[in-house]
Amino acid sequence: MSKNPVTRRQFLSYTLTGVGGFMAAGMLMPMVRFAVDPALKAEASGDFKMTDMKVADITEEPVRVDFQYEQKDGWYTSDVTQTAWVYKNEKGEIVALSPICKHLGCTVNWGNENHPDQFFCPCHNGLYTKDGNNVPGTPPRGPLDAYPVREKDGFLMLGNPEENPFVNKK
């Protein structure tokens, strides 16, 4: 036996400290994991989403392309549907424009009876040219965003919208 025996008070103190520490760790670990786990996961923000549009079917006339993908926010998974206006420009490049107006976030449509060769925003009569540039004198504050494009197995893939590279910068 030891020359310094543990008293009942010391034993109780050590036991309660150990049990309390174990319980505190059990409560803190889920909170720490909740805060740290999303930061350690690989980002998928640059991933391209597959569409049903065949690259061979893309013409010079803008066509609305809807595409869906699964989005994960923390532990919640949802199906998201997005839209793009897709066409080929004079150089033969595939152009995919976001339909979200830069004025107030309304959805633009290609052509109407008054503006057959422009994108039209019905919210405040905003106009964009075919390449997505905002028409001076109308409400939009900037050009439509563009989706980066790729081809896989003959089908169009779209990335996340970014600044429009088809518009001449002033």
Side-chain angles (χ1 to χ4, degrees):
M1 278 201 109
S2 170
K3 292 185 179 188
N4 298 325
V6 177
T7 64
R8 281 188 260 176
R9 184 175 296 236
Q10 288 174 326
F11 175 77
L12 187 57
S13 176
Y14 295 153
T15 304
L16 289 177
T17 300
V19 169
F22 182 74
M23 290 174 62
M27 289 177 13
L28 289 176
M29 286 305 294
M31 289 186 250
V32 169
R33 182 166 181 219
F34 180 78
V36 174
D37 198 34
L40 297 178
K41 287 191 178 182
E43 291 277 332
S45 61
D47 291 347
F48 281 71
K49 286 86 175 177
M50 184 67 77
T51 67
D52 293 335
M53 174 64 85
K54 290 185 178 182
V55 172
D57 295 343
I58 300 174
T59 64
E60 291 182 3
E61 183 72 17
V63 176
R64 182 182 170 139
V65 176
D66 294 324
F67 59 101
Q68 288 186 341
Y69 59 94
E70 190 176 86
Q71 178 175 311
K72 224 173 184 183
D73 294 323
W75 289 268
Y76 178 71
T77 303
S78 60
D79 290 328
V80 176
T81 301
Q82 285 188 326
T83 301
W85 287 99
V86 179
Y87 70 96
K88 284 188 181 175
N89 64 12
E90 313 79 50
K91 299 176 186 175
E93 300 171 316
I94 298 173
V95 177
L97 298 175
S98 169
I100 307 301
C101 179
K102 291 298 201 154
H103 179 228
L104 290 175
C106 299
T107 303
V108 300
N109 291 308
W110 174 248
N112 66 13
E113 60 271 356
N114 297 328
H115 307 284
D117 294 328
Q118 292 179 323
F119 289 102
F120 176 71
C121 177
C123 294
H124 296 98
N125 296 323
L127 292 173
Y128 295 92
T129 59
K130 187 176 180 181
D131 64 359
N133 198 7
N134 51 315
V135 174
T138 63
R141 297 181 180 147
L144 294 172
D145 288 334
Y147 290 97
V149 297
R150 285 192 186 159
E151 180 182 349
K152 182 177 181 185
D153 300 328
F155 287 92
L156 179 68
M157 295 179 71
L158 300 175
N160 292 325
E162 53 190 37
E163 189 175 331
N164 192 331
F166 303 102
V167 175
N168 294 331
K169 307 287 187 266
K170 294 175 182 156

